[in-house]
Every structure is written in C-alpha cells, then in structure tokens.
Amino acid sequence: MTGRYKKLEEEKVFKDPVHRYIHVRDELIWKLVGTKEFQRLRRVRQLGTTYVTFHGAEHTRFNHSLGVYEIMRRMVENIEEKEDWDPEERLVCLSAALLHDVGHGPFSHSFEKVFHTDHEHWTREIILGKTQINAVLKGMGEGFPKKVADVIAKTYSNKLVVSLISSQIDADRMDYLQRDAFYTGVSYGHFDMERILRVMRPTEEQAVFKISGMHAVEDYIMSRYQMYWQVYFHPVTRSAEVILSKILHRAKHLYEKGYTFKEKPRHFDSLFAGSITLEDYLKLDESVIMYYFQAWQEEADSILKDLCDRFMDRRLFKYVECDPSTQMNIWPELLQLFKEAEIDPRYYLVIDSSSDLPYDFYRPGEEEERLPIHLLMPNGDLRELSRESDVVEAISGKKRTDHKLYFPKDFLEDYSKHGDIKKRIQTLLMTQGG
Ligand code: NI
C-alpha cells in the first residue's frame, strides 16, 4: 500500500517480555513511537509507587502502551478476517491504542489529586495541540488527530472501536493485568488471552465472546479482581503514595508562603501558580520529581525534609484499618493529641480509601453506566456474562471499599518529647486497629 497507508519496507519488532514480540508494519505507528512525547513515557512508571512493595514493578507507560497497541493489532487482524474494514479505521484503532495513556504525568495518581490536573485532558492536548505526535497524525489528513482523540475520549461514532480500547474487557486492561503480574512477580493476573482473542466476535456496538470461551473470560475477570486487592491497592504502596502527595502539598504550601527553597522548584512554577502549559507539562517526568525529592532532603523546612527522607529511604507510614463510621468519634481527639505532640496532622495523619467494582452488569441511569460483557450463544443470541457464569455472578455489582489510617509510627515511639501524649495516641489507634 502506498500514500497515507504506507507500510514499512521491512517489519520492525520490539522484544517484549509479555507478548514476546510487538510487530510494527505501518509507517504511521513507527513514526508515532519515535516522537518525543511518546518517548517521554519511558520516564513514567506504569504503577507509580508500587515498586516500593514489589521491587520488579519498574516498568513504564512506554512498555504498556506498546503492549496495548500489540493486542489491538491482533484484535484488528481477527476482525479483518471476518469482515471488511476501512483501512483508515484500522489506523485510528492502532493509534488510539498506542496513545491512550500519552497524557499521564509522573506518579499520576497522587499528582492529579494534588494539582487537580487530569491525564485525559493532557492526552487530548498532546494529540490535538502543537506536538510532534499531532504533526505525525496530521500526515493522515486534517481530521485524523481528532478521530484518535475521540476514540480515547469514548465519543467516537464507531462504538465497536471505542469498546476495544475501553470497556470491561479491552486491550488496555488485557495488557496491564498481564504486564503488571509479570513485573511484580505475583501469580494472579494471568489468563488465556489467546483464547479470548480467538472467541472474540465483532458486533456494531462492541466485541462479544463465543460461549465456548466463557471460562477464559471468567479467568480474566477474576484476575482483575485479585490484582486490584493484591497489587494495585497494596497498603504499603498506598503508604508511599500518601507520603508522595504530602510532599507535593508541602512544597506547594511553602511556595505559596514565599519560603526560600535551597533547590528552587522551577519545574513546578507554573503548576503551583495554576497556569501550567502543555510545554511545561511535558517536561515533568519521574526523573525530575525524584531529583527534587532528593534535593529537598537538604531543605531547612523540617516537614518537607522529613517527608522526602521517608520517600527516598522507604521509611513509610504504618497503618491501622479504620471504619469511617466509628472513626469519626475519635478523630477530633486524635487531631488534638497530634497537635499537642507537635506532629502536624495535616501531613502526618491521613485516611486513605480504595474501592473497586470488579464487574458490573448494565444498570441504566446509574452514575457510571458500564457496558456489560456479552456471550454469543450457538443460536446467535447474546447473553450477559453474569447470567451464564456463576463465578462472575458471585462478584457482579459488588463494590468493595476499604479505609486505612496512616501515621508515622516511629514518631509516636520516640518518647524523648511528649511521651505521655504519644502513648495516649497509640492506645487510641490500637482500639481502631481491632
Ligand atoms: Ni493504559
């Protein structure tokens, strides 16, 4: 093929520990990988602070993005075997898969909460703004970047395409579950993706799965369920994340108070001022953040210094389980005692909550309408997954939430100052831990 749909003279491959090889045949994809905005993803970890818990979890958004592209490439290949596809639609799919996470910043999860930014907004900006990615996409036609952005924003007219990249069973999840399992070394997260891809059938609205592949789909749902609680919400990872966000809060607070930093956070200037541009945003990656955290270990502000020491040296907060309904009774007393012990509760006493809904059937009108997974019966009928699968039914629509109270146990065990108060705090926390 020539012109806009140009193929490379020779196929390129990336060696990948999860999918073995990632195949690139389209010139467009090869060029996108080479852009500086895409290369930046090498400096953003896929799992944020998870590496403090699972030391193998150093893989990046770059690895994951290539993986999602590869799964999408295979999905598209399967679909093309069954029906004719517009060659442009195929490239929209592949580009969206490759670029779906391109707007992620460093330690996205905490970063977005502290600075009220949102990676989806930046993804759109990167695709539509003045970037190398935009220039490459425009080579396919003026309207092409918008199509790619719309797929990622789930507003694209072709619902099948949207569902391949974001639904309850999509290329994104299929990659991150396997990839995160591989790099963390846990035994959850594995499922038979080959089988799922083989039984997948396109419909106008979404991809459906032949009933003969139901157990592979069940396995996928269960692996997601287990990965959330065993890896993504691991309390030690969350402790590091709590500290990370407190560092960012403290730095912002000091900046606003006019504190003189020894290491002036010039990369954060526009962010702190609430006027960050795309150009500034693209300069932020995890190596920059880590640079400041290390430098701030020398700061005169004792809170900023202590929090950075904790993050760099992995001296994390401990936690107790807490039930917010009873927690509220002791909360005012706890705050008061922390102040008396001269430990600032704004930085050292944190309730953190996680919740997950492993799979949901369709509930029209609810806050988050999720398209359910459908099975294709031999007679051509479609059946919703939880109606056929007892395993999936057992966890369907069940949201599990968990709350933990984080605090610096080492501070409370240093009795050289305010010993009595600290002992009272410990007793109070102990009754929570139950
Ligand atoms: Ni992703």
Side-chain angles (χ1 to χ4, degrees), residues 81-302:
E81 276 173 20
K82 295 175 184 70
E83 55 184 59
D84 275 342
W85 247 36
D86 178 351
E88 179 175 281
E89 207 72 329
R90 175 177 164 276
L91 287 173
V92 167
C93 265
L94 297 182
S95 308
L98 188 72
L99 301 176
H100 78 285
D101 274 346
V102 80
H104 271 284
F107 301 108
S108 298
H109 197 67
S110 315
F111 194 88
E112 291 185 5
K113 270 199 235 157
V114 177
F115 299 116
H116 310 292
T117 65
D118 148 35
H119 66 269
E120 285 168 11
H121 162 79
W122 292 113
T123 297
R124 216 175 157 74
E125 288 285 297
I126 291 167
I127 292 173
L128 301 175
K130 268 185 79 181
T131 58
Q132 292 184 355
I133 285 180
N134 178 264
V136 171
L137 292 173
K138 263 196 190 148
M140 299 296 301
E142 270 307 308
F144 194 82
K146 171 127 192 333
K147 288 185 180 176
V148 174
D150 285 351
V151 173
I152 298 172
K154 303 185 218 174
T155 54
Y156 193 55
S157 54
N158 185 334
K159 296 293 165 228
L160 169 64
V161 170
V162 173
S163 83
L164 296 178
I165 184 119
S166 53
S167 62
Q168 297 201 72
I169 183 163
D170 60 30
D172 183 22
R173 289 182 185 192
M174 283 203 242
D175 183 77
Y176 74 63
L177 291 174
Q178 296 180 84
R179 188 166 301 279
D180 298 342
F182 177 87
Y183 283 96
T184 53
V186 300
S187 55
Y188 330 97
H190 302 283
F191 56 91
D192 190 350
M193 185 177 78
E194 305 300 319
R195 181 99 186 111
I196 293 180
L197 294 180
R198 287 183 69 88
V199 297
M200 193 168 177
R201 294 290 178 274
T203 70
E204 244 175 61
E205 285 289 306
Q206 67 181 126
V208 299
F209 304 86
K210 280 169 70 184
I211 179 87
S212 58
M214 181 177 83
H215 298 298
V217 176
E218 280 177 344
D219 230 17
Y220 156 88
I221 300 278
M222 293 314 285
S223 82
R224 180 178 179 279
Y225 174 74
Q226 288 165 333
M227 283 298 280
Y228 266 80
W229 292 101
Q230 299 298 325
V231 175
Y232 304 137
F233 296 155
H234 197 287
V236 173
T237 306
R238 282 159 59 193
S239 175
E241 211 153 87
V242 163
I243 293 173
L244 178 101
S245 48
K246 291 301 169 187
I247 295 175
L248 298 173
H249 272 298
R250 185 65 181 172
K252 184 167 188 275
H253 173 77
L254 292 172
Y255 177 91
E256 283 164 357
K257 269 189 8 188
Y259 167 87
T260 316
F261 286 86
K262 281 187 205 160
E263 186 64 46
K264 196 176 171 300
R266 63 182 179 86
H267 285 87
F268 292 88
D269 278 346
S270 60
L271 194 62
F272 287 159
S275 61
I276 187 162
T277 62
L278 178 58
E279 206 190 338
D280 295 336
Y281 185 76
L282 288 170
K283 285 183 189 152
L284 289 168
D285 59 38
E286 288 177 9
S287 45
V288 169
I289 302 280
M290 294 297 249
Y291 168 76
Y292 283 105
F293 285 11
Q294 198 198 65
W296 290 341
Q297 289 183 281
E298 313 287 323
E299 287 293 338
D301 179 73
S302 61

